[in-house]
Amino acid sequence: MSSKMVIRQPEPVMDARESDEWGSGICDCCQDVPECCLAFWCLPCFACKTTKKYGQCLCLPLLDMFGFIPPVTMSMRVSMRQRYGIKDTMCRDCVFATFCASCSWCQMSREMRRRDLQVVLVSAKNT
């Protein structure tokens, strides 16, 4: 008689931080002064670094140099709002991306850091 062994993998446990608002305002750069300074003095480097952490192509923000409304900055804001369920408008995204790009990138970086969910395995056994 044969016996059947069933092995079940533990499910990931996530601490959800749900909110439909941005975690910080567009001008809350004082929350992280070094990050704000990097964004102000070297926006392309900061935007590329933030885009990479978000899981997109590292050099994607460099395409913003070719248009009046920075398409990548605006797209990242819209994508982040959709991913995290933040209520805002595309009109505001367009205004922030066009006239306050460094503040916009800082806000997105703070939001990613605030909503960073670590996956913790519970009851995992090494067999």
Side-chain angles (χ1 to χ4, degrees):
M1 183 158 122
S2 69
S3 63
K4 192 178 204 182
M5 182 186 281
V6 177
I7 298 175
R8 188 169 173 188
Q9 295 292 324
E11 298 292 322
V13 176
M14 298 169 105
D15 175 28
R17 296 181 202 145
E18 296 180 18
S19 172
D20 63 353
E21 300 291 326
W22 286 100
S24 61
I26 192 73
C27 294
D28 287 344
C29 291
C30 292
Q31 290 183 358
D32 192 347
V33 174
E35 186 174 81
C36 182
C37 287
L38 177 61
F40 181 76
W41 294 108
C42 190
L43 182 58
C45 296
F46 183 77
C48 289
K49 181 184 91 150
T50 303
T51 302
K52 179 69 174 170
K53 275 198 291 187
Y54 191 67
Q56 297 298 322
C57 177
L58 174 71
C59 297
L60 193 61
L62 299 178
L63 296 174
D64 277 353
M65 295 181 214
F66 299 111
F68 176 69
I69 297 173
V72 175
T73 303
M74 185 163 166
S75 299
M76 283 285 292
R77 285 187 63 83
V78 170
S79 172
M80 193 168 289
R81 283 193 308 103
Q82 288 178 346
R83 178 181 284 185
Y84 297 138
I86 297 170
K87 292 181 181 174
D88 212 339
T89 64
M90 286 186 68
C91 181
R92 286 173 47 98
D93 291 335
C94 181
V95 169
F96 292 146
T98 304
F99 299 108
C100 199
S102 57
C103 292
S104 182
W105 280 101
C106 284
Q107 182 185 35
M108 290 187 289
S109 178
R110 287 191 305 270
E111 195 67 29
M112 286 182 351
R113 198 171 40 252
R114 180 178 163 266
R115 295 182 185 247
D116 184 27
L117 299 176
Q118 299 295 323
V119 175
V120 179
L121 295 178
V122 178
S123 300
K125 294 181 182 178
N126 189 8
T127 57

